[in-house]
Amino acid sequence: MNLKMLVSYATLGYPNREDYLKLVKGLVDAGSDILEIGLLPKYAKYDGPVIRRSYKQVSSWLKDSWGLLEETRRAVNVPLVILTYLEDWVSSLSELLTKMRETGIDGVLFPDLLIDFVDEYEKYVQEIKAHGLKAVIFTSPSVPDPLIHKVSMLSDMFLYYGVRPTTGVPLPVSVDSVITRVRTLVDNKLVVGFGLSDINDMKKALNAGADGIAIGTIYIEEIEKNGVESAISLARTFRGIINGA
Amino acid sequence: MVNNEEIVPSYWYNIIPDLPKPLPPPRDPPDAEFSRIDLLRKIMPSEVLRQQFTVERFVSIPKEVREAYINIGRPTPLIRAKKLEEFLNTPAKIYFKYEGATPTGSHKINTALPQAYFSMKEGIDHLVTETGAGQWGTSVALSARMYGLNSTIFMVKVSYEQKPQRRTIMQLYGANVFASPTPHTEYGKKVLNDNPNHPGSLGIAMSEAIEYALSNGYKYLVGSVLDVVVLHQSVIGLETMRQLQEIDEEPDTLVGCVGGGSNFGGFSFPFIGSKKGTKYIAVGSYEVPKFSQGAYNYDFPDSAGLLPLIKMITLGRDYVPPPIYSGGLRYHGAAPSLSMLIKEKIVDWREYNEKEIFEAAQVFLQTQGIVPAPESSHAIRAVIDEALEAKRKNEKKVIVFNLSGHGLLDLPNYESMMKRIG
């Protein structure tokens, strides 16, 4: 039986170099199938307050992002997907993708691809693939049905579906009904995230047909409160929920 | 003309899943010291917020809200403007949906009622909002009272003083009405401290209302621009579709005026979504030229910047509108869904100046008898131009427009326009 996926997010370098490396190893040991690594953006336009705080903290000291990404690559053996805003890289995309490839990164996810670059998203997806990287496409409930269907076939690894308009703010949405709706449009694997930190929401998402869940904000909140070990232990709990679903 | 309870729909229509492109989500500004998106959870009733972000195409209208709609006289009439057609000597047929027939005199009550209902269901006992000209405040005051809730309305001081009738209606409905800036909020105190004679502004009133709701544990109701408001206003368009069906009429052109976009969206989106009609015209004010000169950008919906950034056609939140009499059209932006439909050229736009709309209002009230709100007169002007074009081309078009409100409380404005223009 194919188990459903746990996709865990970490902000590159958060909370510090040592604990970050401990975190990514721990998240993988706890059963994460894929790691998403957030690369410090100029403007985290679609991120919530918690992930923004982590970026702000990291921005004060992290100078060598690529060196740390290389270390990350050496530390874990699951696929690594970089999460960064296309807006920051439009003029230097080829260099970015080449560097990712050289660093052993597997894929890239631009949360703003279908929002701010919707008229030319195919061009960008092709460019990612042409560099030998996986293009993971981010969608949300405001993406029209025909477009979700179309991009679900283009997306590598899985289709990322954010159920809320921003990360980590539990706005009231009917998680099960938005997933049930999108499930019928997607033949690819469907991973659900964005503001999904409540165990009930996770169960609802999995029961409604999600192939996996993406977790980020709640790890950072846990690190803020109780440290890295505690966040890793949360990942174990989530793995258990997924296995039980 | 049909006019019965069956016309009132049992669901609202949401255009988001039928838009040609993904609707850009709300954002927090860069380096925000607090999350505006998170703040929404504290200030808006939970069900209203859920509906703000829903992607369901049809959202069920609770039975109690549907009954409340009927209680205030919905469906509002769809009237053929026969005398206007005769006056223009046009082959076009002109119909108007008359939202001025509600007790508060405009379409605003269509969203105030459900927002008050959901608040009551959530155990909230006090609603807060701001109002400029007074139509929105009046609707909140009545809706709150209908569900046994208290309400506090921060009315822009200059309107409070110049529109005493609006203030009186709100007070008769049982609302506390404050002339904003007030000494009841920190923000108001700060403004008064700098200038004790400050005339107030919608931005200040809104900031005060949000702060007052937050500090007292009350909820804040939103009157336009946000998707949830357009959703509730779809009752106008859904009724109109049904009323046209009853008389076997197929609309060609749909027209409405735009302040924030809720009356236009509520009226036209059900037609756009079901591909009925061929031309949709959003009409703004020449003096507040958001369509011709606005940028399609992320901007704050409120001048205080307390709400999240949304992507819309906007003149900028710091834009200071000239003192035109169409108070409802002085807003700096247009609803995100409407902005996208304009950018995608699915919706056309026009802008008319005060003289043009004053003439249109006169033609309309002398032919149909109804004194239109100055805002709605913008739609009338576009309808007249469309009907005259149909005459030139000898086209038997069916033009339908939303008469969003009556102008009986705007008579001092008309009097002044008569002196200046007429």
Side-chain angles (χ1 to χ4, degrees):
Chain A
M1 193 184 94
N2 265 343
L3 282 177
K4 294 192 173 191
M5 286 187 281
L6 173 61
V7 178
S8 289
Y9 168 89
T11 293
L12 183 71
Y14 183 81
N16 55 56
R17 178 178 290 269
E18 193 185 326
D19 278 344
Y20 159 77
L21 286 167
K22 200 189 281 180
L23 174 73
V24 290
K25 282 184 214 161
L27 290 173
V28 172
D29 291 342
S32 301
D33 302 283
I34 296 169
L35 286 188
E36 267 184 89
I37 306 294
L39 204 58
L40 185 66
K42 291 198 183 90
Y43 171 17
K45 38 186 184 176
Y46 303 123
D47 281 299
V50 178
I51 290 183
R52 282 178 174 220
R53 275 206 299 276
S54 74
Y55 281 135
K56 195 165 182 195
Q57 203 258 54
V58 166
S59 70
S60 65
W61 65 269
L62 180 62
K63 303 285 175 261
D64 180 17
S65 295
W66 290 104
L68 192 53
L69 275 175
E70 278 169 25
E71 278 189 71
T72 313
R73 180 66 289 173
R74 284 196 294 274
V76 298
N77 55 9
V78 297
L80 290 179
V81 175
I82 296 296
L83 197 151
T84 186
Y85 289 96
L86 177 54
E87 186 177 52
D88 291 351
W89 302 101
V90 172
S91 59
S92 56
L93 187 60
S94 184
E95 289 94 310
L96 172 80
L97 298 172
T98 305
K99 196 121 192 212
M100 279 187 188
R101 181 74 185 139
E102 287 167 2
T103 313
I105 301 301
D106 297 272
V108 60
L109 186 158
F110 295 125
D112 53 346
L113 179 68
L114 288 189
I115 298 165
D116 301 314
F117 301 90
V118 64
D119 293 326
E120 33 186 13
Y121 76 89
E122 283 165 301
K123 177 185 95 183
Y124 288 113
V125 168
Q126 276 165 14
E127 189 161 355
I128 295 167
K129 294 187 184 201
H131 281 77
L133 292 163
K134 310 274 191 203
V136 182
I137 299 181
F138 172 79
T139 58
S140 69
S142 67
V143 177
D145 291 2
L147 187 57
I148 289 188
H149 179 66
K150 204 169 156 196
V151 301
S152 76
M153 293 184 290
L154 281 179
S155 190
D156 295 314
M157 302 169 95
F158 56 86
L159 183 76
Y160 192 121
Y161 187 68
V163 290
R164 291 189 168 87
T166 190
T167 53
V169 179
L171 294 170
V173 298
S174 316
V175 169
D176 31 6
S177 75
V178 295
I179 295 172
T180 308
R181 170 174 160 263
V182 77
R183 181 69 271 183
T184 58
L185 304 169
V186 177
D187 295 328
N188 202 338
K189 286 198 184 305
L190 178 68
V191 169
V192 174
F194 256 51
L196 207 65
S197 52
D198 173 88
I199 287 177
N200 273 329
D201 269 2
M202 285 182 208
K203 287 183 178 166
K204 275 187 196 166
L206 293 163
N207 289 335
D211 297 303
I213 52 176
I215 304 289
T217 299
I218 194 168
Y219 292 143
I220 293 169
E221 280 180 325
E222 196 61 30
I223 294 168
E224 287 175 339
K225 280 186 239 149
N226 302 310
V228 164
E229 288 299 339
S230 190
I232 295 168
S233 144
L234 266 180
R236 273 188 224 105
T237 309
F238 298 147
R239 183 74 251 174
I241 291 166
I242 293 172
N243 293 357
Chain B
M1 195 65 26
V2 282
N3 189 3
N4 61 56
E5 294 178 5
E6 273 175 37
I7 301 287
V8 180
S10 50
Y11 56 85
W12 291 296
Y13 169 72
N14 179 19
I15 199 163
I16 308 297
D18 292 326
L19 289 173
K21 287 182 180 171
L23 190 69
R27 278 185 193 171
D28 277 319
D31 304 321
E33 63 289 359
F34 67 94
S35 169
R36 274 89 178 155
I37 297 175
D38 206 18
L39 186 68
L40 289 180
R41 293 196 300 145
K42 300 192 184 87
I43 62 180
M44 286 166 77
S46 173
E47 177 61 16
V48 176
L49 195 52
R50 193 192 70 77
Q51 292 184 353
Q52 164 65 22
F53 292 112
T54 190
V55 287
E56 298 163 281
R57 192 167 276 116
F58 299 107
V59 175
S60 177
I61 300 177
K63 191 170 140 275
E64 295 84 349
V65 172
R66 193 173 173 276
E67 281 167 4
Y69 278 160
I70 291 166
N71 184 54
I72 58 154
R74 301 212 72 90
T76 51
L78 179 74
I79 299 167
R80 182 161 173 194
K82 202 88 199 237
K83 288 286 171 198
L84 177 62
E85 290 171 18
E86 282 170 19
F87 174 82
L88 299 171
N89 190 21
T90 174
K93 285 188 199 168
I94 301 172
Y95 292 91
F96 63 97
K97 178 73 168 163
Y98 186 39
E99 288 298 299
T102 65
T104 53
S106 82
H107 66 290
K108 291 282 182 187
I109 187 107
N110 298 331
T111 184
L113 271 176
Q115 291 194 51
Y117 169 78
F118 294 129
S119 303
M120 178 272 291
K121 292 290 275 184
E122 288 167 29
I124 296 151
D125 61 3
H126 199 125
L127 303 177
V128 188
T129 199
E130 76 287 330
T131 198
Q135 309 215 350
W136 171 238
T138 310
S139 297
V140 171
L142 174 59
S143 302
R145 180 51 54 217
M146 282 180 158
Y147 291 109
L149 315 178
N150 296 313
S151 63
T152 298
I153 316 292
F154 288 84
M155 187 173 190
V156 177
K157 193 195 269 171
V158 61
S159 299
Y160 183 92
E161 284 160 1
Q162 287 174 5
K163 298 203 161 194
Q165 307 96 325
R166 276 284 173 201
R167 188 210 319 164
T168 307
I169 299 173
M170 289 188 268
Q171 286 165 337
L172 285 171
Y173 286 144
N176 310 313
V177 186
F178 294 140
S180 166
T182 75
H184 306 301
T185 67
E186 291 308 313
Y187 193 77
K189 278 185 215 162
K190 191 176 152 286
V191 173
L192 287 175
N193 207 22
D194 292 346
N195 177 5
N197 298 316
H198 198 294
S201 74
L202 207 53
I204 294 168
M206 190 181 239
S207 309
E208 284 206 272
I210 292 174
E211 183 192 325
Y212 193 75
L214 270 173
S215 55
N216 290 292
Y218 303 153
K219 291 287 166 171
Y220 171 76
L221 300 196
V222 184
S224 187
V225 190
L226 295 191
D227 300 316
V228 62
V229 178
V230 183
L231 173 82
H232 295 156
Q233 293 295 355
S234 69
V235 65
I236 307 171
L238 291 163
E239 282 181 11
T240 308
M241 272 170 84
R242 194 60 209 284
Q243 287 166 318
L244 287 168
Q245 256 169 30
E246 294 285 335
I247 52 170
D248 283 327
E249 203 70 272
E250 280 289 329
D252 295 300
T253 304
L254 292 122
V255 184
C257 66
V258 176
S262 76
N263 102 70
F264 177 82
F267 171 67
S268 66
F269 286 1
F271 289 92
I272 295 174
S274 51
K275 302 197 166 42
K276 281 182 183 287
T278 52
K279 195 172 179 186
Y280 314 97
I281 306 174
V283 191
S285 151
Y286 174 85
E287 290 85 356
V288 185
K290 64 184 124 197
F291 297 137
S292 57
Q293 290 177 38
Y296 186 44
N297 270 339
Y298 270 95
D299 193 12
F300 288 106
D302 57 314
S303 32
L306 291 170
L307 298 175
L309 294 161
I310 52 176
K311 193 166 185 187
M312 60 178 175
I313 294 175
T314 172
L315 288 163
R317 68 155 160 155
D318 296 327
Y319 173 78
V320 180
I324 56 164
Y325 289 121
S326 301
L329 304 194
R330 298 176 69 209
Y331 185 66
H332 65 276
S337 45
L338 172 59
S339 295
M340 175 187 279
L341 289 166
I342 287 175
K343 282 287 146 196
E344 292 293 312
K345 303 200 184 310
I346 293 169
V347 170
D348 291 343
W349 57 266
R350 305 273 187 279
E351 285 171 351
Y352 292 108
N353 66 33
E354 209 155 58
K355 182 168 187 292
E356 290 168 317
I357 70 108
F358 178 64
E359 288 163 4
Q362 275 185 308
V363 167
F364 188 76
L365 65 86
Q366 288 176 11
T367 51
Q368 295 300 130
I370 295 171
V371 180
E375 291 86 347
S376 315
S377 302
H378 288 72
I380 296 170
R381 178 68 206 213
V383 167
I384 291 174
D385 284 356
E386 285 295 301
L388 292 176
E389 198 193 302
K391 180 179 168 184
R392 277 193 296 277
K393 295 182 178 169
N394 197 24
E395 286 175 338
K396 290 183 178 171
K397 278 185 160 181
V398 176
I399 303 167
V400 189
F401 75 99
N402 190 29
L403 188 62
S404 54
H406 70 63
L408 290 174
L409 293 171
D410 297 292
L411 291 178
N413 296 344
Y414 278 120
E415 197 182 329
S416 156
M417 278 195 254
M418 244 185 324
K419 284 182 193 143
R420 275 192 303 126
I421 306 168

